[in-house]
Amino acid sequence: MPNKMKIFTGNANPAIAQEICDYLGVPLGAAEVKQFSDGEISVEIGENVRGADVFVVQPTCTPVNDHLMELLIMIDALRRASARRITAVMPYYGYARQDRKVRPRVPITAKAVAEMLMVVGTRRVLCMDLHAGQIQGFFNIPVDHLYAAPIILKYIRDRFTDVVMVSPDAGGVERTRAFAKRLNAGLAIIDKRRERANECEAMRVIGDVAGKTAILLDDMVDTAGTLCGGAEILKKVGAKEVHACCSHGVLSGPAVERITKSCLKSLLVTNSIPLKEEVRKCEKITVLSVGSLLGEAIRRIHNEDSVSYLFV
């Protein structure tokens, strides 16, 4: 049993946990994660984990609070069952957008989540495409920050020519520039003004997109207001086609309807979080798996090998 790897999952995204297990050739750990009638979460680990190297795969996606509590309680249960090391595998880190004080008297919730994870016994975190890279510094434990870039870059290279990469806002310029460099493509930025949460007003395009295939790049798409507004402006200034890529397809509220009605030709997302049936039925949305990427990172962490070559 010592040094044996075990992988568990809550109810957030069991499909990707199973993909990871299939990649690694190990069975998914036995755990019962359910709710009492009043909503309290109950966890029972169904096998011996004493001395094991345990990975808990649980993106904290909607319903965010339920899935976060599942993760915290599972880690507490595993620690009390004498697991040697517990790694929280969070393909999607909920509350990541609340990473700093943007107004007086508001919390830094991403830091509070990090504190809770450490307190219950997490000894390592594996995450992917954090909304803000500085969240790694909120932890006093090792954080391995993966990127879906290799998968997305391959998708773009295989399907598009004469590309210009477009950042939907100033905050995403560094990410978009890295993609543009690897694709030997142009770079453009949409200057926008956000009036309130989940609403924005795109203003103008900085850069040349006329006659080219414009690809909007973001770390996540929530209500798709930014994305669809950006696509409309890119078409107005002469882009031949507009596509979009993101790591996390949150796609809440009117997102699918907006995407369907928009001038976007396609949207690429990964399966870091589970997608609703209406999302899977949308012809404009393509889903790529990051299961093998996460699986390889877990294998390397368990074997104490370098994970850096996966970082891009």
Side-chain angles (χ1 to χ4, degrees):
M1 169 63 74
N3 262 341
K4 188 170 183 181
M5 173 170 52
K6 286 186 174 287
I7 296 174
F8 291 86
T9 185
N11 296 315
N13 195 352
I16 199 170
Q18 189 60 61
E19 276 188 44
I20 291 168
C21 288
D22 292 343
Y23 178 85
L24 295 170
V26 299
L28 188 61
E32 187 177 31
V33 184
K34 59 183 182 180
Q35 289 190 358
F36 293 117
S37 60
D38 66 348
E40 281 187 14
I41 291 164
S42 166
V43 170
E44 184 175 350
I45 307 301
E47 59 186 87
N48 181 20
V49 296
R50 186 176 295 273
D53 189 13
V54 178
F55 296 83
V56 184
V57 181
Q58 179 84 339
T60 47
C61 49
T62 185
V64 180
N65 297 332
D66 286 353
H67 290 152
L68 176 59
M69 283 304 297
E70 283 183 11
L71 177 60
L72 295 171
I73 295 169
M74 286 185 78
I75 290 168
D76 183 71
L78 290 160
R79 177 176 60 86
R80 294 175 189 278
S82 301
R84 181 177 63 85
R85 179 178 67 178
I86 304 165
T87 301
V89 181
M90 305 171 70
Y92 173 73
Y93 188 98
Y95 287 109
R97 284 172 284 187
Q98 298 181 48
D99 63 303
R100 65 197 186 282
K101 288 188 71 173
V102 292
R103 294 182 302 278
R105 298 177 297 281
V106 297
I108 304 178
T109 318
K111 167 66 171 170
V113 170
E115 294 282 1
M116 287 189 282
L117 284 164
M118 290 187 290
V119 164
V120 294
T122 308
R123 289 295 167 260
R124 192 177 198 100
V125 173
L126 174 62
C127 52
M128 191 180 81
D129 281 306
L130 287 169
H131 185 67
Q134 64 265 25
I135 290 172
Q136 296 169 82
F138 294 169
F139 291 90
N140 298 323
I141 55 177
V143 177
D144 291 306
H145 183 202
L146 298 180
Y147 300 89
I151 295 166
I152 296 174
L153 282 167
K154 183 178 185 304
Y155 178 88
I156 293 172
R157 285 194 189 103
D158 290 347
R159 285 162 180 79
F160 304 113
T161 56
D162 197 18
V163 164
V164 57
M165 297 301 299
V166 184
S167 174
D169 53 35
V173 173
E174 186 180 351
R175 180 188 307 109
T176 310
R177 184 187 291 118
F179 270 71
K181 183 178 177 182
R182 285 170 175 81
L183 292 166
N184 195 25
L187 173 67
I189 305 162
I190 294 177
D191 176 31
K192 69 172 187 180
R193 187 169 300 162
R194 188 179 296 276
E195 301 297 338
R196 56 184 66 85
N198 297 123
E199 291 183 22
C200 69
E201 181 184 353
M203 303 296 287
R204 61 181 179 178
V205 177
I206 303 169
D208 180 23
V209 299
K212 297 182 180 180
T213 299
I215 301 180
L216 282 156
L217 180 70
D218 214 342
D219 64 315
M220 70 170 72
V221 176
D222 188 356
T223 59
T226 296
L227 208 64
C228 295
E232 188 176 329
I233 284 176
L234 289 167
K235 285 294 285 184
K236 282 181 181 177
V237 296
K240 182 172 66 176
E241 288 183 350
V242 183
H243 301 263
C245 298
C246 77
S247 298
H248 309 299
V250 180
L251 300 173
S252 64
V256 176
E257 183 182 354
R258 282 176 174 171
I259 291 165
T260 302
K261 292 179 178 178
S262 74
C263 58
L264 270 175
K265 296 279 284 185
S266 71
L267 168 64
L268 172 71
V269 299
T270 76
N271 63 342
S272 62
I273 57 180
L275 300 172
K276 302 171 190 172
E277 189 62 30
E278 64 170 334
V279 175
R280 292 189 173 277
K281 286 180 179 178
C282 181
E283 293 182 357
K284 288 188 177 183
I285 299 175
T286 301
V287 185
L288 294 183
S289 174
V290 290
S292 59
L293 179 67
L294 292 166
E296 180 61 22
I298 288 171
R299 185 185 69 78
R300 286 174 167 266
I301 290 168
H302 174 69
N303 293 334
E304 305 294 347
D305 291 335
S306 170
V307 187
S308 61
Y309 98 104
L310 298 171
F311 286 1
V312 176

